[in-house]
């Protein structure tokens, strides 16, 4: 069982930055960690993932703006978000996926609102 707690969301102006954190209740070294987001009226979508050895994948819409990272010693995952725009407004969820069972664990989500 992995419990995930996100933090760092909030209101930011267009062009601004935020850093999301996701703290896990247990060791995450073997897990594929990811950030997903869900905008109002839309389905949840993948933002970025990072494996235990640091391999990263991200959707095209955030490449060059968002950076996912992890600290395995602290069992924490981060999402640095720069050059935010209104289309980034969503609830952001942290995810841990077991690489063998494919079982998913989810955090409760943190709201990110980009508005002037």
């Amino acid at each position: 069982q992995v419990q995930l707690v996100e933090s760092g969301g909030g209101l930011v102006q267009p062009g601004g930055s935020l850093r999301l954190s996701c703290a896990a209740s247990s060791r995450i070294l073997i897990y594929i960690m990811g950030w997903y987001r869900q905008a109002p009226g839309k389905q949840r979508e993948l933002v970025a993932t990072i494996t235990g050895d640091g391999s990263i994948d991200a959707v095209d819409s955030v490449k060059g703006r968002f950076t996912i990272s992890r600290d395995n010693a602290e069992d924490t995952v981060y999402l640095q978000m720069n050059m935010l725009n209104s289309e980034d407004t969503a609830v952001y969820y942290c995810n841990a996926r077991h690489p063998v069972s494919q079982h998913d664990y989810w955090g409760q989500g943190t709201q990110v609102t980009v508005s002037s």
Side-chain angles (χ1 to χ4, degrees), residues 35-97:
W35 287 96
Y36 291 71
R37 65 186 180 186
Q38 187 167 18
K42 295 186 177 181
Q43 291 187 331
R44 190 174 298 189
E45 65 172 357
L46 170 69
V47 177
T49 60
I50 183 168
T51 63
D53 61 0
S55 296
I56 291 172
D57 191 19
V59 295
D60 288 343
S61 61
V62 307
K63 287 180 179 178
R65 300 189 300 123
F66 292 9
T67 302
I68 188 171
S69 61
R70 63 191 291 164
D71 184 337
N72 290 327
E74 296 294 329
D75 299 311
T76 302
V77 181
Y78 303 97
L79 185 67
Q80 177 67 43
M81 305 186 294
N82 299 326
M83 295 184 289
L84 287 159
N85 59 61
S86 59
E87 293 183 352
D88 297 316
T89 294
V91 178
Y92 284 71
Y93 296 91
C94 182
N95 169 268
R97 174 168 293 175

